C-alpha cells in the first residue's frame, strides 16, 4: 500500500508535471523559434475558413476577401518582386548608359587636350627673348628724319 500511495501521490504528479513542462515550455519554445511572420500570415486564411464554415458566426465578405488575399500572398509577392526587379534593371541600364556617355565625353576631352597645348606653357618668371628691332632705312637713321634735314639746309 505504501508503494501504491507513493506512486500515485509522488511519481504520477511528477510525471504529469514533466509532460506538461515538455509540451507547454520546451516544445512551445521550439515552435516559436521556428515560427515566422510568413507562417503566421499563411495560417490566417485557415482560421478565416474555419470561422466561415462555423455557421453560428456570420463573416463579412471583406474578411473572406482578405483571407483569399493572404492565401495568395506568395503569388502577389512574386508579382511585386518581378515589378521591383524590372525597375531595378531599368535603372541599372540607364546608369550604364550614363557611365558610357561620361566615359566617351572624358575620352573626347582627353583627346582634344594635347591640341590646346596646355602642357607647355611658360612660367611666369621666365625671361622672354629680346625682340629684334626692325631694320632702319637711311631716312630713319637721320636725327630728325629726312624732311627735317632738307628744311634746315
Amino acid at each position: 500500500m505504501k508503494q501504491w500511495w507513493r506512486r500515485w501521490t509522488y511519481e504520477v504528479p511528477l510525471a504529469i508535471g514533466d509532460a506538461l513542462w515538455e509540451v507547454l515550455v520546451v516544445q512551445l519554445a521550439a515552435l516559436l523559434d521556428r515560427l515566422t511572420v510568413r507562417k503566421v500570415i499563411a495560417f490566417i486564411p485557415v482560421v478565416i475558413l474555419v470561422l466561415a464554415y462555423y455557421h453560428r458566426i456570420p463573416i463579412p465578405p471583406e474578411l473572406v476577401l482578405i483571407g483569399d488575399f493572404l492565401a495568395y500572398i506568395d503569388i502577389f509577392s512574386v508579382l511585386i518582386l518581378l515589378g521591383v526587379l524590372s525597375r531595378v534593371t531599368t535603372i541599372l541600364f540607364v546608369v550604364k548608359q550614363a557611365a558610357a556617355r561620361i566615359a566617351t565625353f572624358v575620352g573626347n576631352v582627353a583627346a582634344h587636350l594635347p591640341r590646346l597645348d596646355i602642357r607647355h606653357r611658360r612660367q611666369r618668371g621666365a625671361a622672354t627673348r629680346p625682340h629684334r628691332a626692325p631694320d632702319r632705312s637711311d631716312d630713319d637713321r637721320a636725327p630728325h628724319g629726312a624732311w627735317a634735314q632738307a628744311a634746315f639746309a
Side-chain angles (χ1 to χ4, degrees):
M1 180 80 174
K2 194 173 192 181
Q3 287 290 338
W4 180 84
W5 181 255
R6 177 178 168 89
R7 180 174 181 181
W8 283 103
T9 58
Y10 183 71
E11 293 176 3
V12 170
L14 283 178
I16 293 172
D18 288 343
L20 287 174
W21 177 264
E22 177 70 26
V23 170
L24 296 177
V25 176
V26 176
Q27 290 182 5
L28 183 63
L31 175 72
L32 292 177
D33 283 341
R34 293 185 311 241
L35 191 64
T36 61
V37 175
R38 184 176 176 175
K39 288 182 181 179
V40 170
I41 291 173
F43 188 69
I44 290 174
V46 174
V47 172
I48 291 174
L49 284 174
V50 168
L51 289 175
Y53 287 113
Y54 191 64
H55 293 293
R56 293 184 187 167
I57 301 173
I59 293 185
E62 299 88 20
L63 194 59
V64 175
L65 184 64
I66 290 173
D68 290 342
F69 176 76
L70 292 174
Y72 296 117
I73 192 111
D74 291 332
I75 296 170
F76 288 119
S77 63
V78 167
L79 291 176
I80 290 170
L81 182 65
L82 287 175
V84 168
L85 286 178
S86 67
R87 287 193 182 131
V88 168
T89 314
T90 305
I91 290 170
L92 285 177
F93 177 71
V94 169
V95 167
K96 280 183 184 179
Q97 276 191 336
R101 287 183 181 172
I102 289 171
T104 304
F105 176 73
V106 169
N108 288 339
V109 168
H112 288 86
L113 279 180
R115 292 183 196 159
L116 297 175
D117 202 21
I118 294 175
R119 297 176 294 159
H120 300 294
R121 286 191 167 182
R122 272 195 205 130
Q123 294 179 354
R124 290 184 182 224
T128 58
R129 284 190 290 164
H131 294 290
R132 229 175 123 196
D135 289 335
R136 298 171 82 185
S137 64
D138 290 335
D139 293 338
D140 291 337
R141 288 188 194 136
H144 295 288
W147 294 102
Q149 287 178 358
F152 291 112

